[in-house]
Amino acid sequence: MPAGYVLVTRKRVTSSNDALRALADQGAPEGTMLVAQSQSAGRGRYGRPWQSPPGNLYLSLLLRPDCPPMEALQLGFVAGVALGDVLSALLSETVSVQHKWPNDILVDGSKVAGVLLESGTTGGAKLDWLVIGMGVNVAEAPSETVFPATALAAHGCTLQPNDLIAPIANAVFGWIERWHEDGFGAVRAAWYERAYRRGQSVQVRFEDGARSGLFVGLDDDGAMLLKTAGGAQERLSYGAVFPDIEAAG
Ligand code: BTN
């Protein structure tokens, strides 16, 4: 584990983000990392359930970022790029590892990992705590997902979840250092190298509709820049990305 990181392990929790949040409330320091073997109420973005059987990785990292909340959103991309580095080093070179906006990791076009950022403030200009939750499908992928899902085991990886903890901790630590030194530009450039459908047409789906356009890139807070049919550039802060079937067809 990198200097200053402390690992806490749990057999079963509701959500590793909740368990770590409880430690944060008791004063746990930045760098506390909680790993659970399974979760009874794991969640993804927008409160969607995250299937959490034993055999996959459920890891949450506590940070206390000394920056405005909008800037702290960049840490989701920092974690995503770190995860991408670890997974692409583990898997065969013939397998593609991609970043799907905002913070998903795809292996050969299917989702293998996701990142959930949660934070709180006591009213000051900075966040009091930020928890970066990372879920990696190591052994098993969820079934019946709208976007296809996969697991590392399906791509020849025989590692156990615990084998990933130190590499992920080191990669996230390294990328946080880089972010401090070189800013979001360095993180964004690394994310672009593996970006899913950047420069191509996408459909971004919301609960009550969808927007289609050309995925131009990331704004400074990680929002998606989308060029729509009329030529206008829009900023999207949430949504789920899919290939734009109509534009392609
Ligand atoms: C997403 O893709 O929607 C984000 C998924 C994040 C899942 C991880 S598993 C560890 C941590 N604990 C949770 O309850 N969620 C995150």
Side-chain angles (χ1 to χ4, degrees):
M1 297 288 281
Y5 275 39
V6 178
L7 177 64
V8 177
T9 56
R10 295 271 195 273
K11 203 164 162 47
R12 187 164 171 81
V13 292
T14 51
S15 152
S16 59
N17 273 24
D18 290 342
L20 187 55
R21 159 84 200 277
L23 296 182
D25 286 346
Q26 292 162 25
E30 161 153 314
T32 307
M33 190 178 254
L34 190 141
V35 174
Q37 283 176 28
S38 68
Q39 304 184 118
S40 57
R43 60 176 175 271
R45 293 193 305 138
Y46 317 125
R48 285 193 287 247
W50 183 263
Q51 291 179 31
S52 305
N56 291 341
L57 180 70
Y58 314 105
L59 179 156
S60 299
L61 172 66
L62 173 63
L63 299 176
R64 298 195 184 268
D66 189 18
C67 65
M70 285 301 276
E71 212 174 300
L73 290 173
Q74 298 172 353
L75 285 160
F77 294 85
V78 168
V81 165
L83 265 181
D85 278 357
V86 170
L87 299 188
S88 79
L90 286 178
L91 295 164
S92 143
E93 279 175 15
T94 59
V95 172
S96 91
V97 174
Q98 288 177 299
H99 297 294
K100 178 171 170 287
W101 185 83
N103 302 136
D104 295 347
I105 310 286
L106 308 182
V107 166
D108 278 354
S110 297
K111 179 164 171 173
V112 80
V115 175
L116 177 68
L117 235 54
E118 294 178 324
S119 61
T121 170
T122 41
K126 291 173 192 160
L127 295 175
D128 184 41
W129 57 270
L130 175 84
V131 168
I132 306 180
M134 293 173 243
V136 183
N137 301 331
V138 179
E140 217 177 297
S143 50
E144 294 174 16
T145 50
V146 181
F147 195 91
T150 189
L152 296 179
H155 300 272
C157 175
T158 55
L159 295 179
Q160 298 299 308
N162 284 352
D163 299 327
L164 298 176
I165 299 171
I168 290 175
N170 281 302
V172 172
F173 181 83
W175 272 107
I176 291 175
E177 292 272 293
R178 184 85 196 276
W179 177 68
H180 282 307
E181 281 161 21
D182 299 333
F184 187 53
V187 178
R188 180 164 41 197
W191 196 93
Y192 282 171
E193 277 177 31
R194 298 199 190 105
Y196 169 73
R197 292 195 76 82
R198 180 168 168 251
Q200 292 178 268
S201 56
V202 292
Q203 185 187 59
V204 184
R205 295 185 196 164
F206 319 107
E207 264 188 12
D208 55 351
R211 303 290 293 160
S212 289
L214 181 84
F215 177 15
V216 175
L218 303 178
D219 210 347
D220 287 342
D221 59 353
M224 172 187 269
L225 300 173
L226 187 77
K227 194 170 179 179
T228 54
Q233 187 159 287
E234 297 187 4
R235 262 177 53 89
L236 302 180
S237 300
Y238 65 96
V241 177
F242 289 83
D244 190 356
I245 314 281
E246 277 174 27

